Amino acid sequence: MAKISIEYDVIIVGVGIAGLSLALYLAEANKKHRIVLISKEALDICNTSLAQGGIAAVTDQQKDNFKKHIKDTFKAGLKTGDLAIIKQVINAAPACINDLLNWGVEFDKNGLNFDLHREGGHNQNRILHKSDQTGKEIHQKLLAAISKHQNIEVLEKHTAIDILPQKNKGMLLNCLNEKGLEQFIPAHYIVLATGGSGQIFAHTTNSSIATGDGLAMAARIGAAIQDINYFQFHPTAIYEEGKQQLTLITEALRGFGAHIVNEKGERFLFDYDTSGELANRSVVASAIYAELKKTNKNCVYLRLKHLKAEELSHKFPTVIEQCKKRGINPFKEDIPIIPAAHYQCGGIKVNIDSETTIPNLFAIGECSRTGLHGSNRLASNSLLESVFFAKNAAQRIHQRLTDNANLSQLIELPKTSDSNMLEPLQAEKQISFLKLKSEIQNRLSAVYHLKEMENELEEHEAWLKAQLKKLKVMKQHKSLEFIELKNILEVGLLFIQAKKNQFKVPESIQN
Ligand SMILES: Cc1cc2nc3c(=O)[nH]c(=O)nc-3n(C[C@H](O)[C@H](O)[C@H](O)COP(=O)(O)OP(=O)(O)OC[C@H]3O[C@@H](n4cnc5c(N)ncnc54)[C@H](O)[C@@H]3O)c2cc1C
């Protein structure tokens, strides 16, 4: 069997906030660590770039404190989060913010202090932001920061397909490069930072890359997956008939005084929760679904016309621009909205050092399940989680690389029977893949809304299994579309299984 030398110490699959922070922490720990970052699309296509609201941290110790942020996080997660983890993350949040500032990220200020926003579920103003483009600011500044490190390489348009653990001698990453060629990249450690899986549902705010690839890859080699039934739906995405990927309207607008009204212009949320628009997002999303069912309508509305136009334009330029793009004048008209799949609360199970249950495999960011969120995420805690767990992963990997300086430098290449030039997908097949994807998304959305075990669940599961079986015999179509579709099916099946397990728990202790 052919042997190749290990080129990299660490492969980081994913170039969002999690992957970029990890690369920076590792490069700062030792400029000799050989690091490669892999992104399946252009670098700016990820959920990080889309984040609007901001990042939560206690920075104003006069009005706020850690206990309050911990309490809000635990409460939003319906008391299912891991309190020990929550405390560690929240207490370390100001240090994570400092790291971002040191890497060049800027947040809006009021004089010398940060201009802090408030979002649903937070009892204080504690969201640092850069107008409503915080994710873009963070992503661009971190990309600029990594370009200064010679030991960080970036491979764009490379799609990770599978991980091949090498019996404690390192790891191999099987991927598809930008020319459509299959490739094996060896390393001592692999870190999955592949983001979420919102693309498994009929409506999502997530970027097109969010097809659960890391989750599916980890599950295929037996990594523990947890809480994948807990998906957060964002209550305010702009409704557009027939569209799957929807534009989010930041929750900070509700904190700023926006109202949610039904077709008759009534603020119906108080019928469901005393906090009205400021209830946490899962409460607001469920109330909207209940209202839509009751009124038999496709959408409800976000009302801004009672707010000051000048302040809105200054604080929420993206929202205003997105409305105008769709011919809506938000200063005069209500904005049609519906909830959309937004955040994967569960994922690849990791410990405090971001280690998965597979040796030498780590997971960070939205693809991981850390215990911070429990069954529901508090708004703006996920960017923070990504930085915190990237830091811990970096410390652990750095320590292991330093302690094991004599790691094997050679790795065996697996035998492949396939030609490594993969066939491009025919146009005809592409259309049938798109149809199949849309059917899967509709079925999984239906499953999401089931409140108890019903025959329908078994029927959806059997259908998904049958599609996966058909897909697996089409090996020659190892295109990006094929890889993503297979991952969506596998993540969908994990979601259904987790949902079934949830229904087996007596209702009194479900959340
Ligand atoms: C519209 C929107 C608004 C949000 N607003 C906020 C907010 O205000 N505050 C907050 O805290 N959170 C917010 N979130 C959530 C937050 O943005 C994400 O949880 C976070 O950015 C995830 O970062 P990540 O690095 O884990 O993943 P991402 O930023 O999604 O990056 C994933 C990376 O993995 C790569 N990748 C995926 N699969 C493969 C593969 N097979 N091969 C190679 N590369 C692959 C992608 O190319 C990409 O580079 C928002 C999310 C959305 C969608």
Side-chain angles (χ1 to χ4, degrees):
M1 220 179 266
K3 285 193 175 184
I4 49 171
S5 58
I6 293 189
E7 275 171 78
Y8 302 106
D9 292 310
V10 190
I11 300 173
I12 304 170
V13 189
V15 189
I17 185 172
L20 288 167
S21 305
L22 172 62
L24 287 166
Y25 282 127
L26 275 171
E28 285 169 1
N30 186 334
K31 57 177 188 277
K32 288 196 176 141
H33 290 330
R34 300 161 303 168
I35 305 154
V36 63
L37 280 158
I38 293 182
S39 140
K40 81 171 157 178
E41 292 282 355
L43 297 181
D44 60 336
I45 303 183
C46 58
N47 279 355
T48 300
S49 290
L50 297 176
Q52 298 179 0
I55 178 163
V58 174
T59 53
D60 178 356
Q61 296 270 9
Q62 278 176 346
K63 292 191 189 134
D64 199 5
N65 61 48
F66 294 127
K67 268 192 183 158
K68 287 184 189 168
H69 190 181
I70 290 166
K71 195 173 162 200
D72 289 346
T73 302
F74 193 53
K75 189 176 166 205
L78 308 174
K79 301 189 178 168
T80 55
D82 180 333
L83 207 45
I85 298 286
I86 295 174
K87 284 180 184 164
Q88 291 194 59
V89 177
I90 302 305
N91 290 335
C96 294
I97 298 294
N98 258 336
D99 294 336
L100 289 173
L101 294 171
N102 288 335
W103 291 329
V105 175
E106 289 173 33
F107 296 109
D108 286 352
K109 286 194 158 181
N110 258 332
L112 288 177
N113 300 320
F114 291 117
D115 176 43
L116 300 173
H117 277 170
R118 183 172 170 192
E119 294 184 337
H122 288 270
N123 82 14
Q124 290 294 325
N125 286 34
R126 64 167 76 97
I127 316 298
L128 291 95
H129 63 98
K130 180 77 178 169
S131 74
D132 59 356
Q133 301 195 335
T134 313
K136 197 171 164 192
E137 163 73 11
I138 293 176
H139 199 246
Q140 287 178 347
K141 294 291 167 63
L142 299 196
L143 278 175
I146 60 154
S147 68
K148 294 180 191 141
H149 290 272
Q150 299 212 327
N151 55 332
I152 305 177
E153 200 177 320
V154 182
L155 300 177
E156 218 171 327
K157 299 202 173 172
H158 279 59
T159 303
I161 307 173
D162 267 313
I163 296 160
L164 292 86
Q166 302 295 300
K167 291 185 201 142
N168 287 334
K169 283 189 190 149
M171 307 288 264
L172 266 181
L173 185 74
N174 179 206
C175 62
L176 202 62
N177 70 17
E178 78 281 24
K179 294 184 187 126
L181 284 171
E182 196 179 15
Q183 197 180 338
F184 290 93
I185 309 179
H188 295 302
Y189 301 103
I190 291 181
V191 184
L192 293 171
T194 47
S197 57
Q199 288 290 337
I200 71 169
F201 294 106
H203 290 122
T204 183
T205 61
N206 282 197
S207 142
S208 58
I209 57 92
T211 48
D213 297 1
L215 191 64
M217 279 189 270
R220 282 198 287 272
I221 54 169
I225 307 293
Q226 196 176 336
D227 291 346
I228 197 65
N229 47 320
Y230 296 129
F231 225 98
Q232 183 174 75
F233 274 56
H234 196 288
T236 55
I238 303 180
Y239 172 71
E240 291 177 273
E241 208 180 330
K243 249 187 107 178
Q244 189 252 349
Q245 197 176 322
L246 304 180
T247 299
L248 172 111
I249 296 190
T250 174
E251 198 152 27
L253 255 171
R254 298 198 330 268
F256 190 69
H259 295 161
I260 292 182
V261 298
N262 61 17
E263 183 87 351
K264 292 184 192 153
E266 298 160 341
R267 285 177 73 189
F268 60 90
L269 287 176
F270 289 95
D271 298 345
Y272 298 88
D273 192 282
T274 51
S275 302
E277 279 85 0
L278 288 182
N280 77 50
R281 54 179 60 156
S282 75
V283 171
V284 178
S286 299
I288 294 176
Y289 278 124
E291 189 71 11
L292 292 178
K293 206 167 173 191
K294 196 169 99 186
T295 55
N296 203 19
K297 299 286 175 200
N298 290 328
C299 62
V300 293
Y301 300 88
L302 190 74
R303 177 165 288 176
L304 309 182
K305 50 194 180 194
H306 56 289
L307 301 172
K308 286 188 183 136
E310 206 178 303
E311 275 188 63
L312 282 172
S313 305
H314 173 64
K315 283 190 175 280
F316 304 101
T318 307
V319 174
I320 305 302
E321 186 197 313
Q322 291 295 343
C323 288
K324 288 191 172 162
K325 249 190 194 172
R326 290 163 178 82
I328 304 164
N329 179 348
F331 307 119
K332 292 191 175 154
E333 295 167 81
D334 294 335
I335 309 162
I337 52 161
I338 47 162
H342 186 56
Y343 185 79
Q344 175 194 297
C345 300
I348 307 161
K349 187 179 175 181
V350 293
N351 63 15
I352 189 75
D353 292 326
S354 310
E355 291 167 305
T356 70
T357 53
I358 302 290
N360 306 332
L361 179 67
F362 291 70
I364 51 174
E366 193 168 335
C367 69
S368 65
R369 187 269 176 203
T370 64
L372 176 68
H373 313 299
S375 59
N376 184 43
R377 173 188 68 129
L378 179 66
S380 288
N381 265 356
S382 45
L383 293 173
L384 168 65
E385 178 190 43
S386 294
V387 180
F388 175 87
F389 282 92
K391 193 171 191 169
N392 284 8
Q395 281 165 1
R396 188 81 185 107
I397 293 170
H398 170 65
Q399 181 201 341
R400 281 166 67 172
L401 284 169
T402 314
D403 292 350
N404 305 309
N406 295 327
L407 284 169
S408 160
Q409 294 303 330
L410 286 176
I411 214 161
E412 280 169 6
L413 268 187
K415 268 196 199 145
T416 47
S417 49
D418 290 347
S419 144
N420 73 347
M421 182 68 194
L422 298 165
E423 268 182 44
L425 206 62
Q426 307 293 322
E428 201 181 288
K429 200 94 245 149
Q430 234 160 16
I431 294 168
S432 77
F433 272 21
L434 280 177
K435 275 194 189 152
L436 182 56
K437 190 174 170 189
S438 158
E439 167 100 45
I440 298 165
Q441 290 163 335
N442 286 333
R443 284 176 180 263
L444 291 171
S445 292
V447 171
Y448 177 82
H449 291 296
L450 292 178
K451 293 276 176 257
E452 57 189 352
M453 193 64 156
E454 288 176 31
N455 291 342
E456 203 188 309
L457 191 63
E458 303 285 354
E459 196 268 316
H460 289 311
E461 186 179 30
W463 184 87
L464 257 75
K465 278 185 177 163
Q467 304 312 312
L468 186 59
K469 212 170 161 187
K470 279 190 217 163
L471 214 63
K472 278 184 174 166
V473 293
M474 293 171 45
K475 243 186 158 180
Q476 72 275 25
H477 292 300
K478 255 192 195 171
S479 61
L480 179 58
E481 291 89 339
F482 174 93
I483 294 162
E484 289 187 341
L485 197 58
K486 184 161 158 273
N487 289 336
I488 285 178
L489 274 167
E490 289 182 353
V491 172
L493 283 165
L494 288 170
F495 171 69
I496 291 182
Q497 189 54 54
K499 204 73 182 158
K500 280 166 90 174
N501 293 342
Q502 181 188 340
F503 291 148
K504 279 184 203 150
V505 178
E507 212 174 315
S508 56
I509 55 169
Q510 274 183 34
N511 43 66

